[in-house]
């Protein structure tokens, strides 16, 4: 250990909150950085063969693993014998516990489906650190996004510019979501809808479809993938007009084509043109 010093908070509670009354100075190794980081790990859409080698290796070396029970069940073979925290709790609480464990001297992995930086734990975690004034080393381990996995199953619906918008009930006011939908639709983006069915049902999805019909034809191709790469995987290609009746649940993602998107041989494709000899 060499002379670099890093300031961190001393944690005096585990599940009931962080104490910010005491500050200690912990040595930092110049070659390896902090010895006990928090890893925000994306495990992809739900199958081990779609996880990156780095995500697999990180989970194997972690001492503490935190996440939704259903999410951790997908990686149970990699985390046997570790300290596992899967109680129902808010993302903020997961961040708090992860920090506490890291400051106790343990390598911690917080697990998310898909990629941790896309509608997942990473932004919440960094926001928590900023708000509380806590400094701990954090590494984000990317994962295959749900949109990428769904796109592959559908064909190539994301072949050109697209916008990803979450319909989550509790995350963003509806007026803001509607404005974003209108802007994306007016600009002819392919639109990826995360969380099409929220805690309060599918009312936001119905509103979204109504909004988009002002900009897209009723026959616009739409792909719906449920539990991508999972045991209950279901792939549907339909039209914008038929979306509300397609049995969408909390594990679904919806991809709405643009004005050029077409269906060919059972595949949904958004073309991207190029000039001969020039490329894209």
């Amino acid at each position: 250990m060499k002379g670099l010093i890093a300031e961190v908070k001393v944690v005096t509670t585990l599940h009931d909150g962080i104490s910010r009354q005491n500050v200690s100075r912990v040595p930092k190794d110049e070659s390896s950085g902090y010895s006990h980081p928090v890893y925000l790990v994306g495990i992809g859409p739900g199958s081990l063969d779609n996880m990156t080698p780095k995500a697999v290796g990180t989970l194997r070396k972690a001492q503490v693993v935190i996440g939704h029970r259903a999410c951790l069940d997908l990686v149970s073979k990699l985390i046997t014998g570790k300290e596992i925290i899967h109680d129902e709790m808010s993302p903020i609480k997961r961040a708090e516990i992860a920090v506490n464990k890291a400051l106790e001297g343990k390598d911690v992995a917080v697990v998310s489906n898909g990629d941790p930086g896309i509608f997942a734990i990473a932004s919440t975690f960094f926001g928590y650190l900023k708000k509380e004034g806590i400094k701990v080393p954090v590494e984000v381990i990317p994962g295959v996004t749900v949109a990428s996995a769904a796109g592959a199953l559908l064909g190539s619906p994301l072949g050109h510019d697209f916008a990803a918008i979450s319909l989550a009930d509790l995350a963003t006011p509806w007026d803001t979501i509607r404005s974003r939908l209108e802007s994306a639709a007016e600009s002819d983006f392919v639109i990826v809808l995360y969380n099409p069915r929220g805690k309060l049902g599918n009312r936001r999805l119905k509103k979204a479809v109504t909004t988009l019909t002002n900009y897209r034809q009723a026959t616009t191709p739409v792909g719906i993938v449920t539990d991508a790469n999972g045991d209950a995987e279901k792939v549907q290609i339909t039209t914008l007009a038929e979306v509300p009746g397609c049995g969408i649940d909390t594990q679904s993602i919806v991809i709405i084509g643009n004005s050029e998107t077409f269906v060919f041989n059972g595949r949904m494709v958004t073309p991207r043109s190029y000039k001969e000899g020039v490329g894209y």
Side-chain angles (χ1 to χ4, degrees):
M1 302 290 282
K2 297 185 179 180
L4 292 180
I5 299 294
E7 183 176 276
V8 299
K9 305 294 181 180
V10 173
V11 177
T12 57
T13 59
L14 181 58
H15 290 270
D16 294 328
I18 283 184
S19 168
R20 296 185 295 276
Q21 297 178 357
N22 300 313
V23 176
S24 68
R25 299 180 70 77
V26 179
K28 176 181 177 182
D29 189 324
E30 289 179 335
S31 61
S32 63
Y34 291 92
S35 58
H36 300 284
V38 175
Y39 299 97
L40 308 179
V41 183
I43 63 169
S47 57
L48 291 179
D49 58 352
N50 279 312
M51 286 180 62
T52 66
K54 188 168 185 177
V56 171
T58 299
L59 290 181
R60 282 178 172 161
K61 74 178 181 180
Q63 296 167 287
V64 181
V65 182
I66 302 171
H68 286 290
R69 182 186 294 273
C71 187
L72 298 185
D73 285 346
L74 298 173
V75 294
S76 58
K77 294 180 180 179
L78 302 176
I79 60 176
T80 301
K82 302 178 184 295
E83 182 179 356
I84 298 173
I85 300 173
H86 53 59
D87 299 335
E88 286 297 322
M89 64 185 75
S90 69
I92 293 293
K93 196 66 177 179
R94 286 193 191 93
E96 179 184 315
I97 293 172
V99 168
N100 280 332
K101 292 292 184 178
L103 295 179
E104 286 178 4
K106 298 177 180 178
D107 289 346
V108 182
V110 183
V111 178
S112 295
N113 287 103
D115 185 281
I118 300 178
F119 301 125
I121 188 62
S123 62
T124 300
F125 190 86
F126 285 116
Y128 171 78
L129 295 183
K130 180 178 182 292
K131 180 180 178 181
E132 300 296 332
I134 299 169
K135 294 180 180 180
V136 295
V138 182
E139 183 174 355
V140 180
I141 310 298
V144 175
T145 70
V146 178
S148 295
L153 292 167
L154 290 165
S156 184
L158 305 179
H160 214 312
D161 300 334
F162 66 91
I165 299 174
S166 173
L167 300 184
D169 298 304
L170 305 180
T172 308
W174 169 249
D175 286 346
T176 301
I177 291 175
R178 184 184 62 227
S179 176
R180 291 171 180 172
L181 286 169
E182 290 173 342
S183 295
E186 187 174 19
S187 300
D188 203 26
F189 282 104
V190 172
I191 299 174
V192 182
L193 297 180
Y194 276 74
N195 306 302
R197 186 177 183 88
K199 297 180 183 296
L200 304 179
N202 67 349
R203 65 183 186 181
R204 283 196 166 186
L205 176 63
K206 292 179 179 179
K207 289 181 178 180
V209 171
T210 299
T211 298
L212 293 174
T213 54
N214 294 322
Y215 301 88
R216 302 281 162 92
Q217 294 183 0
T219 55
T220 299
V222 175
I224 302 168
V225 177
T226 301
D227 193 28
N229 301 134
D231 294 336
E233 178 184 282
K234 182 179 180 181
V235 180
Q236 305 175 72
I237 296 179
T238 184
T239 64
L240 183 60
E242 299 298 323
V243 168
C246 285
I248 293 168
D249 66 24
T250 57
Q251 299 301 311
S252 301
I253 189 169
V254 178
I255 301 179
I256 300 166
N258 67 12
S259 62
E260 297 184 340
T261 302
F262 60 86
V263 177
F264 171 74
N265 197 26
R267 296 299 185 108
M268 181 177 170
V269 180
T270 300
R272 185 181 183 196
S273 60
Y274 65 95
K275 295 180 180 180
E276 191 70 29
V278 177
Y280 291 107

